[in-house]
Amino acid sequence: IDAHPNLSDTAPVALSYELFPPRSPAAAETLWTTIRELETTEPDYVSVTYGASGSNRDTAVELINRLLLETTLRPLAHLTCVGNSPQELAGIVGELLDTGVRGILALRGDLPKDASAPAAGSLRYAQDLIELIRRVEQRRSALLCAGKIAVGVAAYPSRHPESPSEEHDVEVLLAKQRSGADFAITQVFFETRQYADLLTRARRAGVTIPIIPGVMPLTSLRRLKRLGELTGVEPAPQLMARLAAAGSDLERLHIGVDATVDLANAALDAGAPGIHIYTFNEHQSALEVLDKLALPRRSRPGSRRASGAAQLAG
Ligand code: FAD
């Protein structure tokens, strides 16, 4: 596996990472080692996940604050709307803006296990949250004179578990674009053609915003199984078998990294404007993937890299 073949001719590619708020002091220590390692690669932004219904809100806000104050990294704050009233969400968006956040990934969040629809009084779809964020932005226009908030959304290379079809998913993405989304990040996918197929469906339907492939280092069997359960996206059986047969952690790392690089290269071939790496708060496999991809990156003015894809310049 080599670096992307068309690198010398391609436009700069945006790079971003997903982190989640730590659940213990020991996890926080590991996370901060990861953050320092990832910072050296000068990503365009790092996204910070948010538990549905705000279950980890305090640790998410704390992590975002520290990223803003102690690092050169720009946070993209995930925000879910399931389980919160519009008033509560407007308050949370206002707090994020006061903290210095200028990028929000607007999500519905997974429904509680026993529910088939969001609770009465909470917003129904991510689309409603985008509109709410844009309303808050409007009210804060004097504060935000340096530029608007970048709003990202989720996109699905394979059908969302509650959706009737992949075509419906693309209609939803179009609706999110019309409500004010600036870019999308995809759910994980395991087949090389899936990103290109999503892009074709989306462009045909009129979606013009950048769609950034989200790739996870495919190095952990346990994590792949768990992810299959959580997202409904089944990992490729062949990859699972190869990982299971690996004789050592190092061999497993190589197999997983190579499979991830294949996926990312296929997405770049299809025209991906960036790569978003689901790090699971670990840097080693993310950096291995990055090393092999050798992405063409924009050089960084001062300590801030200018990114077209996520417009997070604040
Ligand atoms: P929506 O776009 O609202 O879609 C939800 C369902 O409703 C879909 O089935 C869709 O087809 C349907 N739908 C949407 N709009 C309409 C409409 N107008 N008319 C009819 N049907 C409609 N979850 C977390 O809890 N925390 C996170 O931090 C988090 N980060 C994520 C990051 C990424 C990049 C991705 C891809 C997912 C993330 N998720 C996260 C998971 C996400 O919350 C779930 O996939 C959730 O089930 C759907 O969220 P959504 O924003 O896509 O919802």
Side-chain angles (χ1 to χ4, degrees):
I1 297 201
D2 290 317
H4 190 258
N6 304 325
L7 281 185
S8 53
D9 313 329
T10 48
V13 167
L15 171 69
S16 53
Y17 302 109
E18 181 184 280
L19 303 172
F20 57 82
R23 298 189 187 104
S24 68
E29 208 168 301
T30 313
L31 170 63
W32 277 91
T33 305
T34 290
I35 288 172
R36 292 301 176 198
E37 292 284 341
L38 297 179
E39 193 177 12
T40 62
T41 66
E42 302 190 356
D44 293 83
Y45 59 95
V46 290
S47 81
V48 175
T49 65
Y50 188 85
S53 315
S55 51
N56 64 354
R57 185 169 151 202
D58 292 347
T59 42
V61 170
E62 190 186 325
L63 176 56
I64 288 167
N65 256 313
R66 284 195 65 188
L67 286 169
L68 282 164
L69 293 174
E70 298 173 30
T71 76
T72 56
L73 299 167
R74 274 173 292 184
L76 172 72
H78 295 208
L79 181 60
T80 60
C81 60
V82 71
N84 281 116
S85 69
Q87 293 74 17
E88 286 166 338
L89 288 163
I92 297 168
V93 172
E95 277 171 35
L96 288 172
L97 296 183
D98 289 342
T99 306
V101 167
R102 292 294 179 269
I104 298 178
L105 192 67
L107 301 151
R108 186 199 64 181
D110 284 323
L111 298 175
K113 285 215 165 18
D114 46 354
S116 60
S122 80
L123 299 182
R124 191 171 176 83
Y125 297 127
Q127 187 187 350
D128 305 317
L129 179 58
I130 301 164
E131 288 166 11
L132 182 142
I133 294 168
R134 291 299 182 210
R135 285 197 298 275
V136 175
E137 175 180 50
Q138 190 75 35
R139 289 204 294 272
R140 300 282 192 108
S141 53
L143 168 80
L144 298 168
C145 53
K148 67 172 198 156
I149 307 168
V151 179
V153 292
Y156 296 89
S158 48
R159 188 180 60 79
H160 182 269
E162 293 164 46
S163 164
S165 65
E166 291 176 342
E167 286 66 33
H168 174 83
D169 285 336
V170 160
E171 287 301 313
V172 168
L173 187 55
L174 185 63
K176 294 197 251 196
Q177 172 179 295
R178 289 197 177 136
S179 292
D182 296 306
F183 66 101
I185 302 177
T186 75
Q187 182 60 282
V188 290
F189 56 99
F190 299 108
E191 306 285 339
T192 47
R193 54 164 187 80
Q194 281 176 310
Y195 173 80
D197 289 353
L198 167 65
L199 212 56
T200 305
R201 284 195 299 278
R203 298 297 180 238
R204 198 176 284 146
V207 176
T208 54
I209 54 174
I211 301 175
I212 300 164
V215 295
M216 69 179 275
L218 306 166
T219 51
S220 159
L221 258 181
R222 182 186 50 79
R223 194 170 286 151
L224 284 168
K225 280 186 193 150
R226 172 109 182 94
L227 201 80
E229 289 158 17
L230 281 176
T231 63
V233 186
E234 280 307 318
Q238 265 181 333
L239 173 66
M240 298 293 272
R242 289 184 62 211
L243 288 172
S248 67
D249 284 350
L250 190 63
E251 194 186 338
R252 207 165 291 118
L253 179 75
H254 288 317
I255 293 170
V257 165
D258 285 354
T260 312
V261 170
D262 276 347
L263 278 185
N265 271 333
L268 291 167
D269 280 336
I275 296 286
H276 183 70
I277 303 183
Y278 292 104
T279 66
F280 293 87
N281 289 4
E282 288 166 8
H283 58 273
Q284 189 191 8
S285 45
L287 293 181
E288 297 259 350
V289 167
L290 207 57
D291 239 28
K292 290 207 165 183
L293 280 176
L295 299 175
R297 307 286 318 288
R298 206 186 291 269
S299 64
R300 200 168 153 133
S303 63
R304 300 261 154 144
R305 192 185 282 276
S307 159
Q311 309 166 22
L312 286 178

